[in-house]
Amino acid sequence: MAAIARVTCNLPARSAALRLLSTTSEYKVPGTKEFFDKNATLGRPMSPHLTIYKPQLTSMLSITNRITGVAYGAVVYGGAILTVCPGGFSSYVHLAESYAPGAGLMLAVKSVVVWPLVYHTLNGFRHLAWDMGKGFGIQEVYKTGWTTFGISLALSFLLAAFL
């Protein structure tokens, strides 16, 4: 077994490929060291940071989609955990409703909780359209972006009002 490992690990093509993928601090591409030295001398950052870019609808919607995906997971896992807690999920919903000072505040809280779910789901349909090769024009991206955002706000408010 050790002989097979020695033979397969010493193949010339494999070792050459692994040398190129090395994680040491040696620079493998000619000119790379000079590039980083010049940038360090000029005080340039390693890569551009978000603060130098003007926020755009496309980047904000992408970031929002990622954040709502995390929130979606937190709500789903939180709800699942509440179902196994003493009293079950419904007792915690009734407890939250009893502490709310009014229907308006409860509607707002429900809307805030359900909005990430609605937005992430609707934006998922938008991404499915992109997977089919539709809606890549800049006007279409902005139109579908604003539409997704607006419908998600309205739908989350309606779901919160009627659930």
Side-chain angles (χ1 to χ4, degrees):
M1 186 68 143
I4 293 173
R6 270 187 267 128
V7 169
T8 57
C9 290
N10 291 330
L11 292 174
R14 181 177 172 150
S15 62
L18 288 177
R19 268 186 262 124
L20 289 175
L21 297 175
S22 141
T23 58
T24 63
S25 62
E26 300 174 35
Y27 294 110
K28 303 293 182 188
V29 178
T32 304
K33 182 176 180 351
E34 293 80 15
F35 172 78
F36 285 113
D37 289 344
K38 180 181 86 172
N39 284 340
T41 303
L42 294 174
R44 293 179 180 162
M46 183 64 76
S47 62
H49 194 267
L50 292 174
T51 57
I52 69 168
Y53 293 109
K54 177 183 171 190
Q56 299 174 351
L57 179 67
T58 51
S59 61
M60 293 299 108
L61 291 177
S62 176
I63 292 167
T64 304
N65 190 51
R66 293 161 198 254
I67 291 170
T68 57
V70 170
Y72 200 144
V75 168
V76 169
Y77 283 114
I81 289 170
L82 286 178
T83 60
V84 297
C85 287
F89 183 76
S90 60
S91 67
Y92 293 101
V93 171
H94 292 301
L95 180 67
E97 287 175 342
S98 69
Y99 284 119
L105 182 60
M106 198 61 195
L107 179 64
V109 168
K110 286 180 178 179
S111 296
V112 167
V113 169
V114 79
W115 182 77
L117 307 173
V118 174
Y119 176 80
H120 195 77
T121 302
L122 291 176
N123 208 37
F125 289 121
R126 187 169 167 236
H127 278 264
L128 285 173
W130 289 346
D131 290 342
M132 292 184 286
K134 300 188 185 309
F136 281 117
I138 194 68
Q139 290 179 342
E140 292 170 310
V141 169
Y142 273 75
K143 182 180 174 185
T144 59
W146 281 115
T147 302
T148 300
F149 189 77
I151 290 174
S152 69
L153 288 175
L155 193 56
S156 64
F157 179 76
L158 289 173
L159 284 172
F162 294 107
L163 292 180

